[in-house]
Amino acid sequence: MLIRHAPDLTEAHVTPKQAYVDRRHFLAGLGAVAGAALLPVSADAAKLSGAKSAYSTDEKQTSFEDVTSYNNFYEFGTDKSDPAAYAGKLTTTPWSIKVDGLVNKPATYALEEFIKPYRLEERIYRHRCVEAWSMVVPWLGFALADVIKKAEPQGSAKYVAFETLVRPSEMPGQSAFFPALKWPYVEGLRLDEALNPLTMLAVGLYGETLPNQNGAPLRLVVPWKYGFKGIKSIVRISLVEKQPRTSWNLENASEYGFYSNVNPEVDHPRWSQASERRIGAGLLAGRQPTLMFNGYGDQVAAMYAGMDLKANY
C-alpha cells in the first residue's frame, strides 16, 4: 500500500496547543524524575527538559511547525494534514501502559508511574520515512532498555511487541468505511534492537509534551529504521518468543518487512531509497543521499552481522 504524500503544510494546519495542553496534569507528577527538570508551565503548553545526549546529531533541526504538521498517523487519516487536523480530539489523560508477556514483573502502569523512574534526555535524531522524506527531530524521552530491564525478561523472550490505542470515537481513521490498516496498529523489534541504547520511548519534542499528532503521550523512536516502525500512542509492550506480526507487514509483506532498516541500496518496489527529501529545506535544496542505517551504522550494524540486509528489508 502506498503511504500517500501531501504538499508541505503551514503552521495553520497544526493542532492548537490548547488542544493537548491538558497533559500538563500528568507532568505535575513527574517532579521527582531523576535528572529531568520540568520547567514552569506556560499558558500554551507543558514544558519539558532533559539531559543532552551524546547520541544527538548536530544537523539542522526541522522546524516545530513542520514536525507537527507533516505526519503519518493513519488512525486519524491518510493525508499528511489529517493527524494535525483531527488528533486534538484524542484524550490522553488518563492513560495506562501494560507491560506483560515473558517477564517476571508484569504490570499495568498509569502514565505518570510509568515515566517517573526514568531520566529524561533530549536526543536529536534523524528521522527517515519509507516514502523517502526525512526530518531532524529533538525528541525527549528515555531508553526503552530501562523499561525492559525493570520488567525482568525471561530467558525465552526474543522479541518485543507493541500495540497502539484503539478508540474509534476519537481516532476517525479507525472508524473509516475503508480503513487503511487493521487495528490496532502493531509493531515489533528483536530484543537486542529494543535493548540498543539508541532505541527510546519519547514523551516530548522541542522541549514540550508530545503533540497528539506525533504520537502522544508515548511513542517509540528507532532512528536507524524507517519511520513506520516508530509506533505511536502506545498502550501495551509485550515480551514474546516468536517474531510478532506488524501492521505494515500484514498489509503488504513484499513491500514492508519486519526489519525495515534504512538502506539506500534496497529500493521500495515503487520508488528509490537512494536519496531523500528533507522536509522544510525548500525546493532549491534538492535531495540528499540516504545514509545506511540512517547514519547510525556505528551503533547498530553489528546486530545484523552475517545477515543478508537486502533480504531483510
Side-chain angles (χ1 to χ4, degrees), residues 36-300:
L38 267 103
L39 304 180
V41 175
S42 73
D44 293 325
K47 300 293 184 181
L48 285 174
S49 71
K52 301 298 182 183
S53 172
Y55 297 120
S56 293
T57 179
D58 59 2
E59 293 181 41
K60 182 180 179 181
Q61 297 174 32
T62 304
S63 71
F64 177 88
E65 290 73 19
D66 284 326
V67 169
T68 57
S69 65
Y70 194 88
N71 307 108
N72 284 324
F73 199 168
Y74 279 19
E75 284 82 349
F76 298 102
T78 56
D79 288 332
K80 292 291 183 292
S81 59
D82 286 343
Y86 302 117
K89 297 180 180 179
L90 178 64
T91 303
T92 59
T93 305
W95 193 275
S96 63
I97 300 98
K98 178 182 287 188
V99 180
D100 65 357
L102 300 174
V103 297
N104 293 327
K105 293 184 176 180
T108 299
Y109 299 93
L111 181 65
E112 303 91 328
E113 297 172 341
F114 183 78
I115 296 172
K116 189 174 181 178
Y118 306 116
R119 177 177 182 268
L120 295 185
E121 291 185 348
E122 181 183 66
R123 297 188 178 188
I124 305 169
Y125 280 166
R126 289 179 290 273
H127 175 87
R128 175 61 156 79
C129 182
V130 72
E131 299 169 326
W133 55 265
S134 63
M135 295 179 172
V136 176
V137 184
W139 303 105
L140 279 158
F142 48 91
L144 173 61
D146 293 341
V147 175
I148 294 173
K149 291 172 184 176
K150 181 180 179 181
E152 296 185 2
Q154 298 173 5
S156 55
K158 300 295 188 293
Y159 294 89
V160 184
F162 305 86
E163 187 174 310
T164 290
L165 176 75
V166 176
R167 192 179 291 162
S169 62
E170 296 180 0
M171 300 172 120
Q174 291 180 341
S175 59
F177 191 74
F178 294 108
L181 295 166
K182 295 180 180 179
W183 312 115
Y185 194 96
V186 290
E187 255 303 337
L189 297 172
R190 214 168 59 190
L191 183 58
D192 60 340
E193 295 177 320
L195 293 174
N196 186 281
L198 287 177
T199 305
M200 69 180 297
L201 293 171
V203 296
L205 57 77
Y206 263 108
E208 297 184 1
T209 50
L210 202 62
N212 287 4
Q213 60 265 34
N214 293 95
L218 185 74
R219 69 166 289 165
L220 179 68
V221 179
V222 193
W224 71 93
K225 293 180 179 289
Y226 291 116
F228 66 86
K229 295 290 292 183
I231 186 169
K232 305 175 181 75
S233 299
I234 297 170
V235 295
R236 188 177 184 183
I237 301 171
S238 303
L239 279 289
V240 298
E241 183 174 7
K242 296 182 179 180
Q243 180 175 300
R245 300 303 300 271
T246 60
S247 286
W248 279 104
N249 186 249
L250 287 166
E251 179 66 28
N252 192 335
S254 66
E255 296 190 358
Y256 305 101
F258 175 80
Y259 286 95
S260 291
N261 294 319
V262 176
N263 189 339
E265 298 178 1
V266 179
D267 291 336
H268 187 280
R270 285 173 283 135
W271 57 81
S272 171
Q273 295 288 18
S275 65
E276 62 199 55
R277 176 175 61 95
R278 182 62 55 85
I279 299 300
L283 295 177
L284 295 179
R287 301 180 71 87
Q288 61 188 52
T290 295
L291 303 174
M292 184 66 193
F293 295 116
N294 203 25
Y296 297 98
D298 288 347
Q299 293 89 2
V300 304

